[in-house]
Amino acid sequence: MSVKNEAELAALKRVGRVVADTLQTMLAAARPGITTRELDQIGEDHFRKFGAVSAPKLTYNFPGATCISVNHEAAHGIPGKRKLKRGDLVNIDVSLELDGYFADTGATTVIEPANAQLTDLVNASREILHNTVQSMRAGSPLNQIGRMIEQQARTRGYSVIKNLAGHGVGRALHEEPYDIVNYYNPRDKRKASRGLTLAIETFISTGANFVVQEADGWTLTTPDKSYVAQFEHSLVITDGEPIVLTA
């Protein structure tokens, strides 16, 4: 969507705040022995207090309130009986609807004790997202996003997942502009306009460039068993620094 007035911006900020708070609540609860279903329930209990609804469940009938992906799962992991263990790489993706507006965020963490390789991967993905988000202005080419993500990942010795992407958000979980990829696409001539609401995601990989869908019809994994760290923010484009709704 494109924000047209202060009321729309205020509504986006409200849902963005609940999304961000839910993510932080879940990250704080991620510990050895907790199941991903229990972690999902903690998130749902939190956001329901504000009247928010799970966006993946609402939009796609996803079998969980949030997506929780572990180790070689890159995205769309279904909460279940799996217990988190020390050293696990865990991605939590939270997207919610509140009063007709949507916001989307995600973060990856390592259950302590963390090894240096996974810690570096997580830090790289987080920093790459921050740098990319802060670079966006009205008039910026949308393919600047993929160019920055890919260049920064390569500089750090990592790959990017090419069949997962950011997207427009606001009045729906996924809307125009679609396919904001993690690599440079010279054919993409779109530009960011003032008020445009985006969800930018970094999918930084220790090996794979593509993910495959598992038999459950949802979970996306790396075929070579490499690791992926995802971070995501929803933001509104302005003439200056963007408004990060899920900060």
Side-chain angles (χ1 to χ4, degrees):
M1 68 174 285
S2 184
V3 176
K4 296 179 176 62
N5 53 56
E6 287 298 322
E8 288 183 340
L9 180 58
L12 286 168
K13 286 180 175 180
R14 280 196 298 274
V15 65
R17 189 176 306 115
V18 178
V19 167
D21 288 349
T22 301
L23 176 63
Q24 293 306 315
T25 298
M26 295 176 70
L27 288 170
R31 61 184 183 275
I34 193 171
T35 68
T36 55
R37 180 175 293 142
E38 289 170 335
L39 188 57
D40 184 62
Q41 189 63 56
I42 288 170
E44 185 170 18
D45 289 345
H46 181 80
F47 68 69
R48 287 181 66 184
K49 293 186 295 185
F50 301 93
V53 175
S54 164
K57 186 177 289 187
L58 175 68
T59 305
Y60 300 111
N61 198 30
F62 180 74
T66 66
C67 301
I68 304 175
S69 308
V70 182
N71 290 333
H72 310 301
E73 300 170 351
H76 305 167
I78 301 172
K81 297 179 180 180
R82 181 177 192 161
K83 290 184 178 181
L84 298 183
K85 305 187 303 296
R86 291 184 171 193
D88 278 346
L89 183 75
V90 182
N91 173 258
I92 301 173
D93 194 311
V94 179
S95 51
L96 302 176
E97 181 273 338
L98 178 63
D99 298 329
Y101 292 85
F102 292 74
D104 195 358
T105 196
T108 302
T109 190
V110 185
I111 305 300
E112 295 292 344
N115 68 54
Q117 179 193 28
L118 292 183
T119 298
D120 186 77
L121 175 68
V122 167
N123 290 340
S125 188
R126 182 193 299 112
E127 291 166 12
I128 290 169
L129 178 66
H130 173 79
N131 294 339
T132 304
V133 165
Q134 291 302 312
S135 76
M136 293 303 295
R137 302 287 187 272
S140 297
L142 287 185
N143 65 11
Q144 171 180 310
I145 295 169
R147 184 201 290 267
M148 287 193 65
I149 293 171
E150 185 175 35
Q151 286 179 343
Q152 292 176 87
R154 285 181 174 177
T155 297
R156 294 167 181 258
Y158 294 116
S159 307
V160 297
I161 299 297
K162 294 187 174 182
N163 59 335
L164 289 171
H167 50 89
V169 69
R171 281 297 195 171
L173 174 55
H174 298 109
E175 59 185 35
E176 292 286 356
Y178 297 105
D179 298 324
I180 303 174
V181 293
N182 275 218
Y183 60 93
Y184 179 56
N185 177 9
R187 295 184 300 276
D188 186 354
K189 304 301 183 183
R190 298 173 296 178
K191 292 188 176 183
S193 56
R194 184 171 58 179
L196 182 65
T197 307
L198 300 175
I200 296 179
E201 309 184 53
T202 52
F203 291 96
I204 309 303
S205 166
T206 59
N209 288 122
F210 295 90
V211 291
V212 295
Q213 190 175 80
E214 293 299 304
D216 61 23
W218 294 102
T219 308
L220 299 172
T221 62
T222 53
D224 61 356
K225 303 301 181 185
S226 54
Y227 292 91
V228 177
Q230 180 256 20
F231 281 82
E232 178 179 15
H233 274 312
S234 295
L235 58 136
V236 178
I237 300 294
T238 75
D239 292 325
E241 290 190 4
I243 299 167
V244 183
L245 301 169
T246 52

